[in-house]
Every structure is written in C-alpha cells, then in structure tokens.
Amino acid sequence: MAKNSNAVRHSPILWIEGRWSGNPEFVSLLRKKGFFIETTSTGKKALEMAAENDYAILVVNAASMRTSGARICKSIYEQHPNLPIILICSPDRVAEGVDQYVGYILVLDFTTRKLVNRIMKLLPGDKEKMVQVGPIIVDSDRNLIHCNGQKTTLTPRLMALLDAFLDKPGKVIPREKLFKDVWKTEYTGDTRTLDVHISWLRQAIEIDPRDPKLLVTIRGVGYKLAV
C-alpha cells in the first residue's frame, strides 16, 4: 500500500454503518491500515456530512442495516454524483438496478483485502499526473477516467484507444489508422472489433452512448473526439 500512502492519508472515507452485531467488522481493521474513516448510522446524516466535507469515497454497509441499500445510494448519488460509492450487501439482499449509482457492489462474505483493493481503485490519484481534455480527466497510472460525474476503470486496450483520441482532440482519425496504432497490426481487413471498443469507450464517457456527443462517427472516414 506504500505506493498510494499519500492518497490514503489525505482521502477521508464516509462510512454508513448500522448496528447489527452479526455484521463483520471492517472499520477498525481499515483504520489500522491507515485509512481515515468517519462513520454515521443513517443516510440522512450521511447527506449532511457529505455536504459539509470533501470525502473521497462513500461506503454503504447495507448488510449492517438489513436493507438492500438501493435507496440510500440513489439519494447520495443524486446530491453528490461525483462521490464514488461502494455498496456492501448480504447475499439475501443484493441490490438491483443500482449500477448507475454505485462504483462497486460487494456481497458478503469477502476478505478485507478485497475491500481494500476496491477502495484503492477509487481513491484519487496524484493530481500532477492527471491529464484533462475537455470533460475527460485521465489517471493513466490506474487506467481510470473521470467524465460526466462518473469514474470508470478502462482495460489497457481501451486506454490505448482513448489515448489515440486524446493525442488528437478535434481531429478525425481514420478507422484503419486507429486499428493499426492501437492493435499494433498492419492487417485492417476486419475492423469490427474497433467498433465494439468504440461502443465500450462511449459507455464510459458519454451521457447517452446511443447519442454520442464526444466520440462521434465521421461517416465513411473514422471517428473524432469532439472537444
């Protein structure tokens, strides 16, 4: 964890925890690992605290409240769309339809290590190493992008594809050139896999991937990052 020790120390976590004693104890273990955590037992209080403080992550331990946590996550997201949320559920109360609000869903039982890994992926990186082009903020060290109020971890291939557009913002890039540069091949007879990756990338950066405004198609030529 030494690599991200500064991020841990300066990134407070807001943790919503109920009073059910049968729930595994995570907060004290995380504090021993150096995480700074503030706790509350209600979604209402969490909203008040989030309005007054700059938290890096919100953890909703719905299992400790014997709920699915869906309503709490939705309420927090609506008022704080840039606050990443981790939702902890019990196996019999797994929340559905919360993917747009929640960064990760963890279903008990899982290890503290798995929880730490999820937290580390959502912590803000070194801002000096972040690059912003238009509304897209890129943390290349972790293949993480911030855009339109959401954070998305990209695969190395998707990150390479995004980098190709970030290098030439506002310029049309032919399909064949994209395929050659990103897939490192001279064969361009079948570029359908490019279209699939473009679709995935749009899901990460567009408000409505079916009506893209950022990553647009230039018919008969290629694609353009319209920033």
Side-chain angles (χ1 to χ4, degrees):
M1 190 179 296
K3 179 182 177 182
N4 294 301
S5 59
N6 287 334
V8 171
R9 285 198 300 268
H10 301 295
S11 303
I13 296 170
L14 177 56
W15 188 290
I16 304 178
E17 180 86 55
R19 304 185 184 282
W20 178 38
S21 60
N23 191 60
E25 172 57 52
F26 292 116
V27 173
S28 62
L29 293 174
L30 290 174
R31 284 173 172 161
K32 289 178 181 178
K33 293 179 179 292
F35 291 93
F36 177 63
I37 301 176
E38 293 187 349
T39 62
T40 182
S41 60
T42 68
K44 180 180 179 181
K45 183 61 177 178
L47 283 169
E48 295 175 1
M49 295 172 69
E52 298 172 355
N53 300 278
D54 186 18
Y55 294 105
I57 300 172
L58 170 72
V59 178
V60 179
N61 191 347
S64 70
M65 297 179 280
R66 297 187 176 182
T67 70
S68 71
R71 185 168 61 179
I72 293 176
C73 292
K74 183 174 184 292
S75 298
I76 297 287
Y77 176 83
E78 287 176 345
Q79 294 194 33
H80 303 280
N82 294 317
L83 179 59
I85 299 174
I86 295 175
L87 175 61
I88 298 174
C89 297
S90 58
D92 59 335
R93 295 188 184 220
V94 178
E96 297 182 357
V98 296
D99 291 348
Q100 59 184 312
Y101 313 125
V102 176
Y104 290 109
I105 298 176
L106 294 174
V107 181
L108 295 172
D109 290 322
F110 54 84
T111 64
T112 303
R113 169 51 55 189
K114 185 173 184 178
L115 176 59
V116 168
N117 288 341
R118 295 296 183 269
I119 290 174
M120 295 304 294
K121 287 183 178 181
L122 292 176
L123 285 178
D126 186 341
K127 292 184 178 179
E128 294 181 357
K129 296 181 180 179
M130 291 188 179
V131 176
Q132 181 167 3
V133 177
I136 305 171
I137 302 174
V138 181
D139 179 354
S140 57
D141 281 353
R142 297 186 295 161
N143 285 0
L144 182 69
I145 65 169
H146 308 233
C147 190
N148 295 319
Q150 68 175 350
K151 293 184 180 181
T152 307
T153 301
L154 300 183
T155 64
R157 183 82 73 185
L158 283 174
M159 182 58 73
L161 182 59
L162 178 60
D163 284 341
F165 289 109
L166 296 177
D167 287 341
K168 297 182 179 180
K171 295 184 179 181
V172 180
I173 306 178
R175 290 171 55 84
E176 290 75 14
K177 178 170 177 53
L178 274 173
F179 197 73
K180 285 182 180 180
D181 292 348
V182 175
W183 274 264
K184 307 299 182 183
T185 180
E186 292 299 318
Y187 174 72
T188 58
D190 185 358
T191 57
R192 285 177 295 181
T193 188
L194 171 62
D195 299 326
V196 173
H197 281 71
I198 289 289
S199 176
W200 288 339
L201 191 53
R202 282 172 171 161
Q203 292 178 32
I205 66 175
E206 299 283 356
I207 295 176
D208 182 358
R210 294 170 297 182
D211 184 24
K213 304 298 184 184
L214 282 173
L215 186 52
V216 297
T217 301
I218 307 301
R219 192 173 298 276
V221 182
Y223 299 96
K224 177 178 73 171
L225 186 63
V227 295

